Every structure is written in structure tokens, then in C-alpha cells.
Amino acid sequence: QVQLVESGGGLVQPGGSLRLSCAASGSIGSIFVMGWYRQAPGKQRDLVAVITIGGSTNYGDSVKGRFTISRDNAQNTVYLQMNSLKAEDTAVYYCYVRYKLVLEHWGQGTQVTVSS
């Protein structure tokens, strides 16, 4: 069983910052890709940021320059530092992991709300 424990979501004012964490556990083996997607009501789930086993990163266009993804491989944990938050960043953020080469798993999601 694979589990993803997400934390760090909440309410923040525009221009503020949040840091999301996602810790993977279970029979996960090697993690090939891990990161975050987000979904606002009525919209599709979009890439936020992912990091690969080799340390390469990929960001969605709307968050480049504002968000930074990092990892702690020893703890199977990824972090998403979210700076200069905008109202349009409001969404449910889902942790994502691809492991054992071809298997995938999603977290339950954590709400991020950016509002004054």
C-alpha cells in the first residue's frame, strides 16, 4: 500500500507564501517522479511542479519563477515553496508520485486558498 501524506495548505493573502509537503510511504520502492498538480473547481488538473529521480524539475508555465520544488530522498518527501501567491493559485493541490517505473499514485489533495 502506498500512502501520500500532504500538509501545508491553507489560507494566505495575495503576495504571501506557503510551503507544501508530501511524504510517501509504503511499498513504494524507487520514486521516479514526484510532485504536485492542482485543480480548481470546474477545471482540469494541471501540472504545478515535478521532480525526477535524477533531480530534473518541470514547472507549469503559470508558476515559473514563483514556486520551487525540492526533495528529501531519504524521507521520500517533496516540498513546494510557493511565493508571490495570486488569487488564481487557489485550487486543491494534489501530490503525485510515479514509482516502480510505471505505477502512479495520487494524494487526497490539500486546499490552497489565496484571498484577501
Side-chain angles (χ1 to χ4, degrees):
Q1 182 180 4
V2 173
Q3 293 182 333
L4 298 175
V5 179
E6 301 154 314
S7 63
L11 175 65
V12 65
Q13 294 183 347
S17 297
L18 286 174
R19 190 186 191 217
L20 304 184
S21 299
C22 178
S25 63
S27 299
I28 201 163
S30 296
I31 296 175
F32 288 86
V33 182
M34 195 169 179
W36 296 90
Y37 290 71
R38 68 186 183 186
Q39 187 169 24
K43 297 188 176 181
Q44 67 181 14
R45 189 173 298 186
D46 291 329
L47 169 71
V48 178
V50 295
I51 187 166
T52 73
I53 189 171
S56 299
T57 57
N58 190 25
Y59 293 91
D61 288 341
S62 64
V63 308
K64 289 179 180 177
R66 299 188 297 120
F67 293 6
T68 303
I69 190 168
S70 60
R71 67 182 181 182
D72 181 348
N73 287 339
Q75 300 297 321
N76 287 334
T77 300
V78 292
Y79 305 94
L80 184 68
Q81 181 65 47
M82 308 164 64
N83 297 329
S84 302
L85 283 162
K86 306 174 181 179
E88 48 263 46
D89 295 318
T90 297
V92 177
Y93 285 67
Y94 295 92
C95 185
Y96 166 87
V97 63
R98 179 160 62 86
Y99 64 104
K100 295 181 179 178
L101 186 60
V102 297
L103 300 180
E104 297 177 322
H105 192 73
W106 294 90
Q108 67 179 16
T110 184
Q111 177 71 45
V112 172
T113 301
V114 184
S115 176
S116 59

mmCIF file of all heavy atoms in Angstrom, residues 17-34:
data_model
loop_
_atom_site.group_PDB
_atom_site.id
_atom_site.type_symbol
_atom_site.label_atom_id
_atom_site.label_comp_id
_atom_site.label_asym_id
_atom_site.label_seq_id
_atom_site.Cartn_x
_atom_site.Cartn_y
_atom_site.Cartn_z
ATOM 1 N N SER A 17 3.090 33.536 1.102
ATOM 2 C CA SER A 17 3.791 32.291 0.805
ATOM 3 C C SER A 17 3.207 31.137 1.595
ATOM 4 O O SER A 17 2.675 31.313 2.698
ATOM 5 C CB SER A 17 5.277 32.410 1.151
ATOM 6 O OG SER A 17 5.923 33.400 0.376
ATOM 7 N N LEU A 18 3.318 29.965 1.020
ATOM 8 C CA LEU A 18 3.007 28.714 1.690
ATOM 9 C C LEU A 18 4.040 27.688 1.279
ATOM 10 O O LEU A 18 4.636 27.791 0.207
ATOM 11 C CB LEU A 18 1.618 28.192 1.326
ATOM 12 C CG LEU A 18 0.393 28.884 1.912
ATOM 13 C CD1 LEU A 18 -0.872 28.295 1.284
ATOM 14 C CD2 LEU A 18 0.349 28.728 3.420
ATOM 15 N N ARG A 19 4.216 26.695 2.119
ATOM 16 C CA ARG A 19 5.096 25.585 1.803
ATOM 17 C C ARG A 19 4.332 24.284 1.976
ATOM 18 O O ARG A 19 3.899 23.957 3.083
ATOM 19 C CB ARG A 19 6.330 25.580 2.704
ATOM 20 C CG ARG A 19 7.410 24.596 2.261
ATOM 21 C CD ARG A 19 8.533 24.541 3.263
ATOM 22 N NE ARG A 19 9.694 23.825 2.761
ATOM 23 C CZ ARG A 19 10.474 23.039 3.501
ATOM 24 N NH1 ARG A 19 10.220 22.878 4.793
ATOM 25 N NH2 ARG A 19 11.520 22.435 2.951
ATOM 26 N N LEU A 20 4.172 23.560 0.888
ATOM 27 C CA LEU A 20 3.507 22.274 0.914
ATOM 28 C C LEU A 20 4.528 21.163 1.067
ATOM 29 O O LEU A 20 5.638 21.244 0.542
ATOM 30 C CB LEU A 20 2.709 22.045 -0.369
ATOM 31 C CG LEU A 20 1.657 23.091 -0.743
ATOM 32 C CD1 LEU A 20 0.914 22.638 -1.994
ATOM 33 C CD2 LEU A 20 0.692 23.331 0.400
ATOM 34 N N SER A 21 4.122 20.120 1.761
ATOM 35 C CA SER A 21 4.952 18.941 1.919
ATOM 36 C C SER A 21 4.155 17.715 1.533
ATOM 37 O O SER A 21 2.942 17.654 1.751
ATOM 38 C CB SER A 21 5.436 18.786 3.363
ATOM 39 O OG SER A 21 6.212 19.883 3.779
ATOM 40 N N CYS A 22 4.829 16.735 0.984
ATOM 41 C CA CYS A 22 4.212 15.462 0.672
ATOM 42 C C CYS A 22 5.204 14.357 0.984
ATOM 43 O O CYS A 22 6.301 14.326 0.409
ATOM 44 C CB CYS A 22 3.787 15.388 -0.794
ATOM 45 S SG CYS A 22 3.053 13.801 -1.257
ATOM 46 N N ALA A 23 4.822 13.475 1.873
ATOM 47 C CA ALA A 23 5.664 12.361 2.282
ATOM 48 C C ALA A 23 5.055 11.055 1.795
ATOM 49 O O ALA A 23 3.887 10.772 2.063
ATOM 50 C CB ALA A 23 5.828 12.340 3.793
ATOM 51 N N ALA A 24 5.848 10.271 1.098
ATOM 52 C CA ALA A 24 5.410 8.987 0.575
ATOM 53 C C ALA A 24 5.883 7.859 1.478
ATOM 54 O O ALA A 24 7.003 7.889 1.989
ATOM 55 C CB ALA A 24 5.941 8.773 -0.841
ATOM 56 N N SER A 25 5.030 6.870 1.647
ATOM 57 C CA SER A 25 5.390 5.707 2.433
ATOM 58 C C SER A 25 4.714 4.480 1.850
ATOM 59 O O SER A 25 3.823 4.572 1.011
ATOM 60 C CB SER A 25 5.000 5.884 3.899
ATOM 61 O OG SER A 25 3.599 6.023 4.041
ATOM 62 N N GLY A 26 5.127 3.315 2.325
ATOM 63 C CA GLY A 26 4.598 2.058 1.838
ATOM 64 C C GLY A 26 5.595 1.359 0.940
ATOM 65 O O GLY A 26 6.775 1.696 0.908
ATOM 66 N N SER A 27 5.096 0.374 0.212
ATOM 67 C CA SER A 27 5.934 -0.422 -0.680
ATOM 68 C C SER A 27 6.159 0.333 -1.977
ATOM 69 O O SER A 27 5.712 -0.084 -3.056
ATOM 70 C CB SER A 27 5.289 -1.780 -0.938
ATOM 71 O OG SER A 27 5.128 -2.506 0.260
ATOM 72 N N ILE A 28 6.874 1.424 -1.858
ATOM 73 C CA ILE A 28 6.970 2.347 -2.977
ATOM 74 C C ILE A 28 8.232 2.122 -3.804
ATOM 75 O O ILE A 28 8.274 2.512 -4.978
ATOM 76 C CB ILE A 28 6.881 3.800 -2.471
ATOM 77 C CG1 ILE A 28 6.463 4.749 -3.588
ATOM 78 C CG2 ILE A 28 8.186 4.229 -1.821
ATOM 79 C CD1 ILE A 28 5.979 6.078 -3.076
ATOM 80 N N GLY A 29 9.230 1.518 -3.224
ATOM 81 C CA GLY A 29 10.473 1.310 -3.953
ATOM 82 C C GLY A 29 11.089 2.623 -4.388
ATOM 83 O O GLY A 29 11.038 3.618 -3.672
ATOM 84 N N SER A 30 11.647 2.623 -5.569
ATOM 85 C CA SER A 30 12.260 3.822 -6.106
ATOM 86 C C SER A 30 11.201 4.768 -6.644
ATOM 87 O O SER A 30 10.292 4.353 -7.361
ATOM 88 C CB SER A 30 13.251 3.476 -7.217
ATOM 89 O OG SER A 30 14.329 2.712 -6.721
ATOM 90 N N ILE A 31 11.334 6.032 -6.291
ATOM 91 C CA ILE A 31 10.438 7.060 -6.797
ATOM 92 C C ILE A 31 11.068 7.682 -8.033
ATOM 93 O O ILE A 31 12.170 8.227 -7.958
ATOM 94 C CB ILE A 31 10.165 8.130 -5.732
ATOM 95 C CG1 ILE A 31 9.434 7.508 -4.541
ATOM 96 C CG2 ILE A 31 9.361 9.280 -6.322
ATOM 97 C CD1 ILE A 31 9.227 8.458 -3.392
ATOM 98 N N PHE A 32 10.373 7.611 -9.133
ATOM 99 C CA PHE A 32 10.896 8.138 -10.389
ATOM 100 C C PHE A 32 10.483 9.585 -10.615
ATOM 101 O O PHE A 32 11.274 10.380 -11.109
ATOM 102 C CB PHE A 32 10.455 7.259 -11.556
ATOM 103 C CG PHE A 32 11.153 5.942 -11.592
ATOM 104 C CD1 PHE A 32 10.677 4.855 -10.872
ATOM 105 C CD2 PHE A 32 12.311 5.779 -12.330
ATOM 106 C CE1 PHE A 32 11.333 3.636 -10.885
ATOM 107 C CE2 PHE A 32 12.982 4.563 -12.358
ATOM 108 C CZ PHE A 32 12.492 3.491 -11.633
ATOM 109 N N VAL A 33 9.251 9.914 -10.261
ATOM 110 C CA VAL A 33 8.751 11.265 -10.395
ATOM 111 C C VAL A 33 7.864 11.562 -9.195
ATOM 112 O O VAL A 33 7.045 10.733 -8.802
ATOM 113 C CB VAL A 33 7.933 11.465 -11.689
ATOM 114 C CG1 VAL A 33 7.468 12.918 -11.806
ATOM 115 C CG2 VAL A 33 8.735 11.064 -12.913
ATOM 116 N N MET A 34 8.017 12.741 -8.646
ATOM 117 C CA MET A 34 7.174 13.144 -7.537
ATOM 118 C C MET A 34 6.957 14.640 -7.605
ATOM 119 O O MET A 34 7.870 15.384 -7.961
ATOM 120 C CB MET A 34 7.798 12.749 -6.205
ATOM 121 C CG MET A 34 6.854 12.797 -5.028
ATOM 122 S SD MET A 34 7.583 12.000 -3.571
ATOM 123 C CE MET A 34 6.266 12.242 -2.381
#
